[in-house]
């Protein structure tokens, strides 16, 4: 049979050809909240994954709705770069009362951009990677929802492509906060110098990437989007929860607050 349950923090599981057994759950010290990687929700996980009793797709949609509350804009349509930010874009569009419209389609015959040997080839790769559905946005003000802008290389040729194909305005809304710090827990985040949020260009990011405006989701907005339904479920459960405010998520790459003491 298939095994779809999440492995709990500290749980030791034995999987054999016959069954799946929990051997033990190593308890956390009472006062420590867990520190589940918040970027799993934003970017890494498949949208149909279920973490902490909630579907990643639903969390991403809530992030888009929260982004619409924090950063609305006068526009005609909402779209995304196919396809990881689609749930957030749908949430944003729904909350703003704007139509969600496809502006790009994926060209399935082109390789991955990140393995191109240099920046120029990477950017050319981006332009070749997508077909432009220009009838859908010619003469219109477009909001593009992205899930994260890490280096800023990928989005800029896309904005150029949309403008050249007739978009009147291109506004970028990012459904996660800027990544500013390295991850010491095993995620390979680019160096501090490479992260756009730490570069001087970040202060005029819209101009740097060629957009009419750029706004990221706040850290509080992300945390509330992730924790909303966990809290609701905790409050509904009959067990008294001592640490309702202590649901733990690691936001170290966004805030620099690490869940463990660094020993160097």
């Amino acid at each position: 049979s298939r095994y779809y349950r999440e492995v709990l923090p500290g749980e030791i599981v034995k999987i054999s050809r016959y069954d799946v057994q929990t051997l033990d759950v190593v308890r956390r010290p009472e006062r420590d909240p867990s520190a589940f990687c918040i970027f799993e929700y934003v970017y890494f996980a498949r949208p149909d994954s279920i973490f902490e009793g909630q579907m990643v797709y639903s969390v991403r949609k809530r992030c888009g709705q929260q982004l619409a509350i924090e950063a609305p804009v006068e526009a005609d349509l909402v779209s995304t770069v196919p396809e990881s930010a689609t749930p957030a874009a749908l949430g944003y569009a729904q909350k703003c009362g704007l139509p969600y419209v496809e502006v790009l389609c994926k060209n399935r015959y082109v390789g991955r951009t990140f393995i191109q040997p240099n920046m120029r080839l990477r950017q050319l790769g981006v332009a070749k990677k997508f077909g432009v559905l220009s009838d859908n946005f010619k003469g219109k003000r477009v909001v593009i929802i992205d899930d994260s802008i890490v280096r800023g290389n990928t989005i800029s040729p896309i904005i150029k492509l949309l403008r050249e194909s007739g978009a009147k305005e291109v506004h970028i809304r990012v459904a996660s906060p800027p990544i500013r710090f390295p991850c010491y827990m095993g995620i390979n985040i680019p160096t501090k110098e490479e992260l756009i949020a730490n570069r001087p260009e970040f202060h005029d990011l819209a101009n740097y990437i060629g957009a009419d405006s750029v706004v990221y989701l706040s850290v509080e907005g992300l945390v509330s989007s992730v924790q909303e339904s966990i809290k609701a479920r905790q409050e509904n459960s009959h067990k008294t929860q001592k640490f309702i405010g202590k649901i733990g998520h690691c936001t170290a790459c966004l805030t620099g607050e690490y869940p463990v003491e660094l020993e160097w």
Side-chain angles (χ1 to χ4, degrees):
S1 68
R2 293 185 177 190
Y3 184 64
Y4 278 138
R5 181 174 68 73
E6 198 180 354
V7 176
L8 301 169
E11 183 180 10
I12 300 166
V13 172
K14 179 187 175 191
I15 301 173
S16 70
R17 69 170 74 167
Y18 307 108
D19 62 358
V20 177
Q21 286 174 300
T22 298
L23 300 184
D24 196 7
V25 177
V26 180
R27 293 270 162 235
R28 224 179 7 253
E30 272 296 282
R31 298 257 158 242
D32 288 353
S34 61
F36 187 90
C37 170
I38 210 154
F39 241 71
E40 285 282 2
Y41 285 110
V42 169
Y43 187 76
F44 300 124
R46 275 172 38 162
D48 60 339
S49 302
I50 293 176
F51 296 137
E52 305 177 296
Q54 58 184 347
M55 190 172 272
V56 169
Y57 185 99
S58 307
V59 173
R60 289 179 184 166
K61 197 168 179 188
R62 278 204 298 276
C63 287
Q65 291 168 336
Q66 179 61 27
L67 188 56
I69 294 166
E70 292 182 16
V73 62
E74 289 282 313
D76 303 303
L77 59 99
V78 175
S79 196
T80 184
V81 180
E83 59 236 16
S84 53
T86 303
L90 288 165
Y92 188 97
Q94 196 177 47
K95 196 77 176 169
C96 284
L98 289 170
Y100 171 80
V101 177
E102 290 180 326
V103 296
L104 297 167
C105 60
K106 236 177 180 172
N107 176 353
R108 66 185 67 176
Y109 306 109
V110 176
R112 305 299 296 269
T113 51
F114 68 85
I115 53 175
Q116 297 295 346
N118 64 39
M119 193 64 67
R120 183 78 196 104
L121 277 176
R122 266 211 291 273
Q123 291 180 332
L124 279 172
V126 166
K128 284 205 304 248
K129 201 171 166 178
F130 299 106
V132 185
L133 305 170
S134 49
D135 280 4
N136 291 357
F137 63 86
K138 219 170 250 174
K140 293 188 174 161
R141 299 165 300 175
V142 180
V143 186
I144 295 288
I145 308 296
D146 208 343
D147 46 20
S148 62
I149 296 178
V150 179
R151 289 189 184 90
N153 308 332
T154 313
I155 195 76
S156 112
I158 284 167
I159 296 166
K160 195 164 175 273
L161 203 59
L162 294 174
R163 287 198 190 283
E164 285 168 358
S165 308
K168 189 173 164 193
E169 292 174 15
V170 182
H171 298 273
I172 303 296
R173 294 292 177 270
V174 189
S176 64
I179 299 180
R180 299 173 187 275
F181 301 91
C183 174
Y184 298 111
M185 275 69 71
I187 299 299
N188 189 7
I189 285 174
T191 61
K192 239 176 165 170
E193 296 69 47
E194 279 184 278
L195 294 167
I196 192 79
N198 295 328
R199 298 175 68 91
E201 296 89 334
F202 190 69
H203 301 296
D204 189 5
L205 186 55
N207 187 37
Y208 178 69
I209 64 175
D212 289 279
S213 70
V214 182
V215 188
Y216 283 79
L217 183 63
S218 67
V219 175
E220 304 71 43
L222 171 61
V223 170
S224 72
S225 301
V226 166
Q227 294 187 353
E228 190 184 299
S229 75
I230 303 173
K231 281 184 174 164
R233 212 173 38 257
Q234 280 194 350
E235 280 155 14
N236 290 339
S237 79
H238 301 304
K239 297 174 205 145
T240 53
Q241 292 278 353
K242 280 188 233 164
F243 306 115
I244 279 189
K246 285 212 150 195
I247 305 161
H249 289 95
C250 178
T251 58
C253 60
L254 315 172
T255 61
E257 291 165 25
Y258 294 91
V260 288
E261 290 287 318
L262 300 175
E263 292 181 5
W264 59 83

